[in-house]
Amino acid sequence: MKNFDLRDIDAFVAVARTKNFRRAATEQGVSVSSLSQRLRDMEERLGVRLMNRTTRSVALTEAGELLLSRVGPAMTDVGAALDQVRGLRAVPSGRLRINAPPPAIDLVLAPMVAPFLAAHPRIDLEMTGDSAFVDIVAGGFDAGVRYGEHLAQDMIAVSLGAPQRYAVVASKEYVAQHGTPKHPKDLLEHSSIRTRFGSGAMLDWEFEKAGRVVKVSPPPKLIATHLGLALRAAHDGVGFWLTFEGYVRYGIKSGALVSVLDDWCPPFPGPFLYYPSRRQPPPALAAFVAFVAEWRKRERRKGKTV
């Protein structure tokens, strides 16, 4: 096969089936002379005549009949496979695998899932929550979600939504009993609810105001890897908790939780969907990128800053 390509085989099959060089050339989108030359070159490389041709007719030799019987069905299968792949562009299908940190899933992606799947019923979505930095290509993911400072330079990045911010909260009962911190370092005198990541790291709490950055590591009364436990503990008065504002917005609004140090918690860009730079992303991924763009437009029309 190293001396042939599919164009040789396709040209032979077209002539063999139509028994007419002019008609076959029209199907192939080439001139009669170039098609005839391609067949002569093919015969020379094979060392056998495949067809007898005159000015009026084309007839396959025994070798030509044998070749057509073997490659004809295969070329039909190849054509059908290519048509099926092209069809994926019109109707995206298949499995879409996305890796994202839990807060991005909970606060940004979760509301999109049902509408996206309803709009694309032939797509199956697999979304993996992972706070660790993952090589999405090695992990077999189509895309990942991370915040801007952790994006690789060779990736295409698409913003998923509005800026976010952290909030430091405690129950109103805890604040009434232990007081309100006025500066991040005041948290060192309070109990706290901290998170330990899968890597074993327990990150400092970082605050910023007027260009000044302060990092503190409050004494943990509770170390929780489970979000639900941390949220419940904050409501139950265990201590202060630093988390994404989206997790505690309703608790603050209801008065069950008290937010402190708001002026030390500026907004930061929301998460980005990222994927490898390539000319043709998988159809399911392309559909999701387009869906995100439309979703953001709808959110803007609703009056939300996205």
Side-chain angles (χ1 to χ4, degrees):
M1 280 294 291
K2 65 181 180 179
N3 294 323
F4 301 90
D5 61 32
L6 282 178
R7 290 174 297 179
D8 298 326
I9 309 300
D10 198 32
F12 165 74
V13 171
V15 174
R17 285 178 171 164
T18 61
K19 301 294 192 299
N20 186 296
F21 269 85
R22 187 171 300 280
R23 193 180 310 152
T26 299
E27 290 181 1
Q28 295 283 300
V30 299
S31 67
V32 173
S33 60
S34 64
L35 181 62
S36 180
Q37 185 62 51
R38 181 179 287 275
L39 267 296
R40 284 196 293 270
D41 292 343
M42 185 176 176
E43 288 175 328
E44 289 180 8
R45 291 195 296 274
L46 285 171
V48 63
R49 181 179 286 275
L50 297 174
M51 55 186 67
N52 295 312
R53 44 211 184 262
T54 68
T55 55
R56 294 186 176 182
S57 64
V58 175
L60 295 179
T61 64
E62 182 180 358
E65 292 284 3
L66 175 62
L67 183 60
L68 179 64
S69 69
R70 298 296 298 273
V71 303
M75 291 302 292
T76 298
D77 289 343
V78 169
L82 293 175
D83 288 341
Q84 185 175 6
V85 170
R86 291 189 192 99
L88 294 177
R89 296 179 304 178
V91 183
S93 61
R95 183 171 299 277
L96 174 61
R97 301 187 71 226
I98 298 176
N99 180 285
I105 294 176
D106 295 338
L107 304 176
V108 180
L109 292 168
M112 300 182 188
V113 170
F116 172 71
L117 293 177
H120 299 283
R122 294 180 60 180
I123 293 177
D124 298 320
L125 179 61
E126 179 180 343
M127 196 167 294
T128 300
D130 194 341
S131 295
F133 298 118
V134 175
D135 183 334
I136 59 171
V137 175
F141 294 97
D142 298 293
V145 175
R146 286 296 178 267
Y147 290 86
E149 66 270 24
H150 301 306
L151 290 175
Q153 295 297 315
D154 59 346
M155 294 286 176
I156 295 175
V158 178
S159 174
L160 285 173
Q164 296 178 303
R165 64 183 297 273
Y166 288 114
V168 183
V169 299
S171 70
K172 62 180 181 180
E173 291 81 9
Y174 180 93
V175 173
Q177 181 177 354
H178 298 282
T180 302
K182 304 299 183 183
H183 188 279
K185 289 186 178 180
D186 294 343
L187 291 168
L188 298 175
E189 305 301 322
H190 288 271
S191 298
S192 69
I193 302 163
R194 303 284 297 277
T195 299
R196 192 185 302 279
F197 294 94
S199 63
M202 190 163 61
L203 301 180
D204 292 341
W205 289 3
E206 183 174 313
F207 299 88
E208 182 180 350
K209 182 179 180 181
R212 182 187 177 196
V213 176
V214 176
K215 295 183 180 181
V216 296
S217 182
K221 178 62 70 174
L222 171 68
I223 299 175
T225 59
H226 190 277
L227 172 68
L229 172 60
L231 180 60
R232 174 63 184 267
H235 277 273
D236 287 348
V238 171
F240 282 105
W241 182 36
L242 175 70
T243 187
F244 284 83
E245 184 184 41
Y247 284 127
V248 293
R249 184 174 292 120
Y250 294 110
I252 296 171
K253 186 176 180 180
S254 70
L257 295 175
V258 176
S259 178
V260 302
L261 300 173
D262 290 345
D263 55 338
W264 282 92
C265 299
F268 54 87
F272 290 82
L273 178 78
Y274 71 97
Y275 53 94
S277 176
R278 51 191 168 191
R279 292 180 60 191
Q280 294 292 341
L285 175 57
F288 187 69
V289 171
F291 177 86
V292 166
E294 287 301 314
W295 178 273
R296 295 188 64 199
K297 289 180 182 177
R298 288 196 297 269
E299 293 299 298
R300 289 191 190 99
R301 287 196 291 267
K302 291 177 182 177
K304 298 181 180 180
T305 303
V306 180

